[in-house]
Amino acid sequence: MDEMLKIVNVNKTYKINKYESFQALHNISVSFKSGELVSIVGESGSGKSTLMNLIGGLDSDFTGNIIVGDQDLSKLSDRELDKYRKDKVGFVFQSFNLISHLSILDNVTLALTLSNVSEKEKVERATNILKLVGLESQIKKKPTQLSGGQKQRVAIARALINNPDIIIADEPTGALDTTTTMQILKILKEIADSGKLVIMVTHSEKVASISSRVVEISDGRIVSDKQNPKYKKTKSKIFKEKVSEEKKDKKNKPLKQNLSYLSAIKLSFHNMWASKTKNLLMAFGVAIGIGSLILMLCFSSGITDYINATMKSYSDPTIVTISKQSKDGLPLFDVDNGEITTIMDGINEYLSQNGYDFEVTEDNCSPGFNCPTISTQISAYFEDDLNNDGDFERLDIFYFYTTPPYYSEDVVDGTLPTEEGGIMFAPAVYNFFGDIDPIGEKVDFSISINIPGFNTTINIDNAIITGIVDTSVMSGFPIVYINYDFFEKEYKKYSNGAALQPTTYYIQTRSENLTEAESEEIASAINRYISTLEGYSGSIEESLANMFQSMADTIGTSLIILSAISLLVSAIMILVVMYMSVSERTKEIGVLKSIGARKKDIHRIFSSESFLVGLLSGICGLIVAGVLILIIYIILINLVGIAPLSFKWYYVFIALGVSIVISISSGLYPASKAARLDPVESLRRE
Ligand code: ADP
Ligand code: MG
């Protein structure tokens, strides 16, 4: 028999703290052959487990040499040690150390999973090994459904799965009764007799008496080493056959070293399933943040879509609006200096240069006067005491317009106001009149215009409401429309005859010798030209829409900041939960390392778990968003009649992406902590 394991002058010292250390092993030198069943005996604390951990490659911090075949453990790198643990040794522990959330099959094949062996081969090999220990019928059960003896047989099967040369068993029967102890011993003996080296630590005289050799350790020194002359090999050949068969197999198929991402995700899934409630609660916490993020996006884009849609619906594509931009006061065109004439000349030059057969003249270019309450104070007084409170009703106007040429299509009730007087309101005024028909009602109203250098109040008496106009984008606001010429006439009474300076000009491109399409093309050409002019913009509605948009953006941004904060809280929550999960699963990590898992593999398992948490949270987040959107939609529809919420398909990816990125990045630290755990300490943990 060849010498399989040679220990030469090994010393092991534990650091207790900065200043003190404790020498657990003193100059250990001993050799073992394959086929031996060795019992290591000795008092508690004598150094037995310490020696086992060194032989098993779990602890590489020692002096001296441990030579296994052609390898010297003291000279191996971390990765070579991982491989050594995976291929050369199998561990059996006193407390079984099975992973409770995995099935018997998955526990046994863990080492194969780490080597990315196919599912079919895993099942085949595990079934064969479980047959040897008499458990082939239990393959689908969970560890908690087995007795102590059965658990230990599963652990032995797990140790054997990679056909190792050495089996290390630290008090394998310590937790078992006499009958089961003998069953386990019989299996270990058969394994030894099949040509493997089995080293077991035991306290039991009886167990020791069955082994082929007994080594006694006391205070970290070998004090006796006796062969058992009465040791007889078993007659059973099943393990022997299995071993030679496996040997052939192994030569043909060198194991790949990597745990695949898919297997890592599978392992994590089992673990997450085992603590469903915790994970669902956590996912729900993250989902609130994700859900509100999606809600904000829907709200933001909903408002944009709404504004764009309504802008499109009322503006006539053959009419070009030119408004003056102003930072203070009202944006007024300078009539005296012929500002609009200069612009018209520019437009006409541009049109002829670009080959359009159209000319802007005084006939197709009309002025307008539009102002919001920002620069004016407008109140309308109605002649009737509409709600019988003894006062004439007063309505504060949000926006004052002269009727633009394209409004004729939008008049929903009555007619456009004429030069002889008469005004129109937006549909919001209906609320004000209740049951009374507003058409034909008499209105006095006053406008205070605050132009820098020119403040004036214009009182218009006995105007009559001639119509209601609905431009959808602003139909909810109290807006008044008046004929331009009529307004200019009234204005002149207060301005000593000075002409009214318009805020806007409308160019009508429709004409007899042009088709509708040609008119529209000319209108867009003019719009292109105006956009190059500095200090001028399109319609007031457009700037109003822009104002709404920027308001919506501001609200959207602050809500996004809020959801960012809640996502940050979620991230910390994931970090804490994952961190605690690492502590809870210390033992499992130790087991994984003992069967050859590399740091990378452990990292991968925990990162997969963060990934799954992220995926789950993202899905929950989408559900939360769906519910919130529905509730808010119903509320808004009932309250204001519109619900500017729009969901875009790519929000699904934003939700999943954000939540996966957040949970993977918050899981990074716990994962690397798990990967760095010292296997010896993790296994010692109770
Ligand atoms: P046995 O398995 O024979 O009961 P161990 O090998 O577990 O004994 O321990 C041998 C000695 O080393 C004991 O005195 C124990 O207290 C000490 N020891 C074990 N692990 C550590 C450690 N991580 N740090 C300090 N001392 C340790
Ligand atoms: Mg021990």
Side-chain angles (χ1 to χ4, degrees), residues 100 215 404 472:
S100 57
V215 175
S472 60

Side-chain angles (χ1 to χ4, degrees), residues 80-368:
E80 287 168 325
L81 269 177
D82 291 337
K83 197 163 162 34
Y84 166 78
R85 283 200 300 275
K86 193 190 279 185
D87 298 340
K88 294 281 165 60
V89 284
F91 285 88
V92 178
F93 307 93
Q94 176 177 0
S95 50
F96 323 127
N97 286 347
L98 299 177
I99 296 172
S100 57
H101 56 80
L102 296 181
S103 69
I104 302 309
L105 174 74
D106 289 336
N107 265 286
V108 172
T109 54
L110 214 46
L112 300 179
T113 307
L114 290 175
S115 302
N116 203 15
V117 172
S118 78
E119 201 62 36
K120 184 171 160 273
E121 192 182 339
K122 284 201 297 195
V123 174
E124 202 181 294
R125 284 171 71 169
T127 318
N128 283 338
I129 299 266
L130 283 167
K131 217 178 264 170
L132 296 185
V133 296
L135 282 180
E136 71 267 34
S137 56
Q138 318 283 333
I139 201 156
K140 289 210 170 87
K141 285 190 179 171
K142 288 277 165 71
T144 45
Q145 294 165 315
L146 299 184
S147 72
Q150 286 176 317
K151 280 186 201 165
Q152 199 58 303
R153 281 187 272 160
V154 173
I156 291 171
R158 178 177 64 190
L160 285 175
I161 193 83
N162 263 346
N163 191 25
D165 298 329
I166 305 171
I167 298 286
I168 291 167
D170 196 344
E171 304 194 38
T173 58
L176 303 175
D177 59 45
T178 331
T179 344
T180 3
T181 294
M182 293 326 283
Q183 287 171 3
I184 296 297
L185 273 181
K186 188 167 163 274
I187 293 171
L188 289 174
K189 182 169 152 53
E190 284 182 21
I191 293 168
D193 293 343
S194 75
K196 295 183 192 296
L197 169 60
V198 178
I199 306 176
M200 62 177 170
V201 170
T202 184
H203 273 108
S204 151
E205 294 270 321
K206 195 156 180 228
V207 170
S209 71
I210 286 167
S211 49
S212 72
R213 179 175 169 189
V214 179
V215 175
E216 189 183 351
I217 296 185
S218 174
D219 288 335
R221 293 178 178 86
I222 294 182
V223 290
S224 82
D225 184 351
K226 288 185 197 124
Q227 297 286 340
N228 179 358
K230 283 186 237 157
Y231 186 78
K232 272 206 192 73
K233 285 205 168 189
T234 145
K235 296 207 173 63
S236 159
K237 287 233 166 68
I238 45 168
F239 273 93
K240 215 167 205 160
E241 280 160 12
K242 183 86 193 68
V243 167
S244 53
E245 195 181 298
E246 287 267 315
K247 250 193 186 122
K248 273 187 258 154
D249 235 34
K250 220 176 187 178
K251 269 185 197 130
N252 298 341
K253 281 184 218 160
L255 289 178
K256 268 194 270 164
Q257 267 288 69
N258 282 325
L259 167 70
S260 71
Y261 279 105
L262 195 69
S263 309
I265 286 175
K266 257 190 195 160
L267 283 177
S268 321
F269 182 77
H270 283 299
N271 179 58
M272 283 183 65
W273 188 253
S275 35
K276 304 186 259 305
T277 321
K278 182 186 83 178
N279 285 307
L280 266 177
L281 283 174
M282 176 163 69
F284 186 66
V286 183
I288 292 173
I290 296 289
S292 53
L293 176 76
I294 297 303
L295 183 67
M296 293 326 124
L297 289 174
C298 288
F299 176 70
S300 257
S301 65
I303 291 206
T304 310
D305 289 355
Y306 176 72
I307 288 172
N308 286 342
T310 45
M311 283 293 297
K312 236 183 218 142
S313 77
Y314 77 77
S315 47
D316 182 332
T318 65
I319 290 173
V320 178
T321 308
I322 315 170
S323 295
K324 222 178 147 171
Q325 292 169 341
S326 153
K327 286 188 187 76
D328 46 359
L330 268 179
L332 298 174
F333 278 86
D334 192 337
V335 179
D336 293 341
N337 285 325
E339 192 177 355
I340 188 63
T341 323
T342 316
I343 294 171
M344 279 159 67
D345 291 348
I347 294 171
N348 288 332
E349 201 182 313
Y350 178 81
L351 288 178
S352 74
Q353 268 172 11
N354 290 281
Y356 292 103
D357 183 21
F358 185 82
E359 206 177 339
V360 184
T361 63
E362 272 182 29
D363 293 333
N364 56 27
C365 181
S366 56

Side-chain angles (χ1 to χ4, degrees), residues 600-618:
K600 219 181 191 171
D601 299 329
I602 308 273
H603 202 285
R604 201 166 277 185
I605 291 171
F606 278 82
S607 301
S608 310
E609 205 161 319
S610 324
F611 168 78
L612 286 179
V613 166
L615 192 65
L616 182 66
S617 308

Side-chain angles (χ1 to χ4, degrees), residues 650-671:
Y650 59 82
Y651 291 172
V652 172
F653 296 96
I654 293 183
L656 296 180
V658 167
S659 103
I660 287 171
V661 165
I662 282 180
S663 62
I664 285 191
S665 46
S666 20
L668 277 182
Y669 175 65

Side-chain angles (χ1 to χ4, degrees), residues 515-531:
T515 64
E516 187 76 7
E518 282 168 338
S519 300
E520 284 179 25
E521 206 186 317
I522 289 163
S524 36
I526 299 176
N527 271 321
R528 269 199 303 281
Y529 173 73
I530 289 166
S531 66

Side-chain angles (χ1 to χ4, degrees), residues 55 106 112 191 305 308 334 355 374 381 404 457 507 523 553 571 623-624 661:
I55 296 171
D106 289 336
L112 300 179
I191 293 168
D305 289 355
N308 286 342
D334 192 337
I374 299 162
Y381 300 91
T457 301
I507 299 170
D553 287 349
I623 295 171
V624 167
V661 165

Side-chain angles (χ1 to χ4, degrees), residues 14-16 22 24 43-51 681 684:
Y14 286 110
K15 273 211 172 61
I16 295 168
F22 174 81
E43 276 173 27
S44 177
S46 55
K48 304 182 295 293
S49 296
T50 303
L51 183 61
E681 269 176 47
R684 209 180 274 273

